[in-house]
């Protein structure tokens, strides 16, 4: 089986091309200021995973499913229901909640805890924010922390899922910064990290260089928007 390819689309958006040939989008927001033009109008999408209800994460989900759908959506039960109410073309399976694992297109998704808020722009309650552990067809596990501060139970995520790669926010202000992300990596025990949720706006000031200082022994993979790495 081929390796998986993970492409950063700026901010919190990723395109994940799996060893089984599936294309997964995580928090697709193609209107983010760093998203490369070449990525803004995808011609295929097999699964969309969304960590929480803020519009910089739900982003382009509804329009993507309208264009290419129906597309399976993995998101917390309240959030998935709301996305359907917004016109998303998806399956009838209710969204999971934290601790549950669901399978879509042969890929396993587990929602984890995250400490953050989650509401639509108009204040509609969309459940709680989550992280997502994705287990690919070849057993590779990627932990997308979503928007969160560091928390002690990241240790449990490390113990139960042993992620091969941790995708962590480092921008600060709305999420953890490099100092907290360094502790997160310690708690997770993960030796490879892809930082994200930084550099989109001046407010998100954390940098991969600052994370490296906080996380000795961890390979920090610094991607430019549009750049792909193998996981
Ligand atoms: Zn965010």
């Amino acid at each position: 089986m081929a390796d998986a390819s993970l492409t950063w689309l700026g901010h919190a958006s990723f395109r994940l091309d799996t060893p089984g040939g599936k294309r997964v989008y995580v928090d697709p927001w193609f209107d983010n200021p760093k998203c490369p033009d070449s990525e803004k109008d995808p011609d295929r999408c097999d699964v969309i995973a969304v960590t929480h209800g803020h519009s910089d994460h739900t982003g382009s989900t509804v329009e993507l499913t309208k264009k290419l759908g129906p597309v399976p959506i993995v998101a917390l039960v309240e959030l998935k229901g709301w996305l359907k109410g917004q016109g998303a073309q998806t399956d009838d399976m209710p969204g999971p909640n934290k601790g549950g694992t669901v399978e879509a297109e042969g890929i396993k998704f587990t929602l984890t805890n995250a400490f953050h808020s989650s509401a639509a722009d108009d204040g509609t309650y969309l459940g709680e924010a989550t992280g997502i552990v994705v287990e690919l067809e070849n057993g590779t596990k990627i932990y997308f922390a979503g928007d969160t501060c560091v928390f002690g139970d990241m240790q449990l995520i490390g113990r139960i899922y042993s992620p091969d790669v941790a995708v962590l926010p480092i921008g600060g202000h709305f999420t953890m910064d490099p100092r907290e992300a360094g502790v997160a990596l310690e708690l997770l025990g993960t030796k490879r990290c892809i930082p994200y949720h930084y550099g989109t706006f001046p407010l998100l000031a954390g940098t991969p260089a600052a994370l490296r200082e906080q996380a000795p022994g961890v390979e920090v993979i610094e991607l430019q928007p549009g750049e792909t790495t193998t996981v």
Side-chain angles (χ1 to χ4, degrees), residues 8 22 25 57 63 70 103-104 114 127 138 147 173 177 189 216 225:
W8 190 33
K22 302 296 181 186
Y25 284 93
H57 296 258
E63 55 197 78
E103 198 166 318
N138 63 354
D147 284 8
H173 196 89
D177 61 6

Side-chain angles (χ1 to χ4, degrees), residues 119-131:
D121 286 346
D122 65 2
T124 304
Y125 171 76
L126 297 180
E128 294 190 355
T130 68

Side-chain angles (χ1 to χ4, degrees), residues 11-12 52 54 56-57 116 147 174-175 197 204:
H11 197 58
H52 64 290
H54 290 160
D56 57 319
H57 296 258
H116 195 67
D147 284 8
F174 296 117
T175 69
H197 214 281
L204 308 185

Side-chain angles (χ1 to χ4, degrees), residues 144-163:
F144 294 89
D147 284 8
T148 186
C149 56
V150 67
F151 53 94
D153 285 351
M154 283 182 170
Q155 236 179 123
L156 289 176
I157 295 169
R159 174 174 157 190
I160 299 170
Y161 303 104
S162 308

Side-chain angles (χ1 to χ4, degrees), residues 102-168:
V102 294
E103 198 166 318
E105 300 290 312
I107 304 151
K108 292 183 185 126
F109 297 85
T110 307
L111 299 188
T112 70
N113 221 352
F115 285 81
H116 195 67
S117 49
S118 182
D121 286 346
D122 65 2
T124 304
Y125 171 76
L126 297 180
E128 294 190 355
T130 68
I132 304 177
V133 176
V134 181
E135 183 176 345
L136 302 175
E137 301 93 332
N138 63 354
T140 297
K141 279 166 277 180
I142 307 171
Y143 167 49
F144 294 89
D147 284 8
T148 186
C149 56
V150 67
F151 53 94
D153 285 351
M154 283 182 170
Q155 236 179 123
L156 289 176
I157 295 169
R159 174 174 157 190
I160 299 170
Y161 303 104
S162 308
D164 297 286
V165 184
V167 181
L168 301 183

